[in-house]
Amino acid sequence: MIVTRFAPSPNGPLHLGHAFSALTAHDLAMRSGGRFLLRIEDIDGARSRPELADEFRRDLAWLGLEWDEVPAQSTRVASYDAAAHMLLCRALGVLYPCRCTRAQIAAASRETAPDGSPVYPGTCREQPVTGDTSHCAWRLDMAKACEIAGPLVWTDDLAGKQQARPELFGDVVILRKDAPASYHLAATMDDHADGVTLVTRGMDLFASTHVHRLLQALLGLPVPTWHHHPLLLDADGRKLAKRRGSPALADLRQAGEDGRALAEHLRAGKLPAGISLSESLHSES
Ligand code: GLU
């Protein structure tokens, strides 16, 4: 059975790009009699506004969707700690504490990761673990982790089989200073716990999957398939964002627009003026 999910972070209201993502995940599951899950990813430190979750539920219902809701990330912190403990202790020893600030990392980094963040320059990697580490971030020793895991592949059902390239991200954060877990760890653990078989999300997160595949290998988790769908773009070719003026679904809903009609238009590729769909990822094989 296909199980997909929509996993919004309540950092701001949902917009048309989210509607497209939720519809894609919903329809992929429903087409085969599967399940469509909603998971609220509410552990993004100070940016997280959990009160938005109710608005999200209203938005999805307005679009005519039905879903099964799984527990929000804030209720799953123990599972992230357990996974980190496993990475730390279980013959792996692939995590190390890091005290660097963002500014220090930005100043010393020589490369950019696929998600646009500076690759960690490795400053704390060889430091002995001393003192109180409770306010440290914990990073993955990427070279060591890749050596343990060996070559890995994963499959996107649009782009085909991929060779995992987690090394492009360098020593990613696994446990954050300001939040219970990094996106990479939380998403990997939750998709497994929720029984997700087809991880459906925008292609802006395509490269993150390299890291998720590595974490699955290190933690001994089964491997799902991914579906990274194209993105809705604004007139300047940029991904839609509320801060760049894309209307919030909640505003359209409150203005009396018909959400089900909007959903049908998005499904049929009839997009509002000034909005286009990015090219899809296609398998080269
Ligand atoms: N919570 C993430 C977001 O709102 C999505 C993560 C995912 O789908 O893996 O951008």
Side-chain angles (χ1 to χ4, degrees):
M1 183 173 66
I2 291 191
V3 182
T4 64
R5 70 352 178 239
F6 175 55
S9 302
N11 298 346
L14 301 185
H15 53 60
L16 287 171
H18 294 108
F20 182 77
S21 191
L23 285 162
T24 302
H26 171 271
D27 293 358
L28 282 169
M30 292 308 137
R31 216 167 281 160
S32 65
R35 289 179 76 205
F36 168 60
L37 310 179
L38 170 65
R39 182 173 71 229
I40 304 294
E41 302 213 320
D42 58 349
I43 54 165
D44 203 359
R47 293 175 65 209
S48 199
R49 292 162 52 200
E51 71 280 4
L52 286 175
D54 268 341
E55 289 286 298
F56 291 4
R57 294 180 192 105
R58 282 192 274 272
D59 291 340
L60 296 184
W62 174 72
L63 290 167
L65 301 185
E66 288 181 14
W67 63 90
D68 290 329
E69 185 158 351
V70 292
Q73 288 190 324
S74 54
T75 67
R76 305 184 186 212
V77 174
S79 84
Y80 311 142
D81 286 344
H85 191 74
M86 197 162 146
L87 293 172
L88 193 61
C89 304
R90 210 180 157 207
L92 294 175
V94 285
L95 297 190
Y96 63 87
C98 171
R99 294 190 164 84
C100 296
T101 62
R102 270 174 206 271
Q104 287 168 332
I105 296 169
S109 176
R110 300 275 166 269
E111 288 161 88
T112 304
D115 62 2
S117 61
V119 169
Y120 183 63
T123 322
C124 292
R125 192 188 306 125
E126 306 302 337
Q127 304 289 328
V129 180
T130 52
D132 178 11
T133 54
S134 58
H135 299 294
C136 292
W138 287 77
R139 289 184 180 274
L140 188 69
D141 182 331
M142 185 56 82
K144 201 164 161 187
C146 287
E147 201 184 310
I148 292 170
L152 298 168
V153 293
W154 55 276
T155 302
D156 179 279
D157 68 8
L158 296 175
K161 192 168 164 184
Q162 307 293 314
Q163 198 73 45
R165 309 250 353 246
E167 69 281 2
L168 297 176
F169 284 80
D171 290 2
V172 289
V173 169
I174 294 295
L175 294 179
R176 284 168 55 172
K177 268 188 242 192
D178 57 340
S182 71
Y183 161 62
H184 297 308
L185 182 67
T188 302
M189 291 304 294
D190 294 348
D191 284 332
H192 166 61
D194 297 337
V196 174
T197 63
L198 184 62
V199 178
T200 306
R201 58 184 170 214
M203 57 192 251
D204 52 332
L205 290 169
F206 186 87
S208 297
T209 303
H210 295 309
V211 178
H212 302 180
R213 180 66 191 88
L214 173 63
L215 292 176
Q216 285 159 353
L218 295 172
L219 293 164
L221 305 179
V223 184
T225 302
W226 282 264
H227 179 108
H228 293 96
H229 59 73
L231 303 175
L232 294 194
L233 306 177
D234 66 15
D236 297 322
R238 293 174 308 184
K239 191 181 131 176
L240 295 191
K242 181 72 178 37
R243 67 178 180 284
R244 291 197 285 264
S246 297
L249 298 184
D251 292 340
L252 300 176
R253 175 163 56 76
Q254 280 150 17
E257 286 213 24
D258 181 341
R260 286 169 191 259
L262 172 68
E264 284 320 308
H265 283 140
L266 290 175
R267 283 183 170 112
K270 286 189 214 150
L271 303 174
I275 295 181
S276 59
L277 193 62
S278 71
E279 281 194 28
S280 179
L281 296 161
H282 284 297
S283 167
E284 281 157 23
S285 55

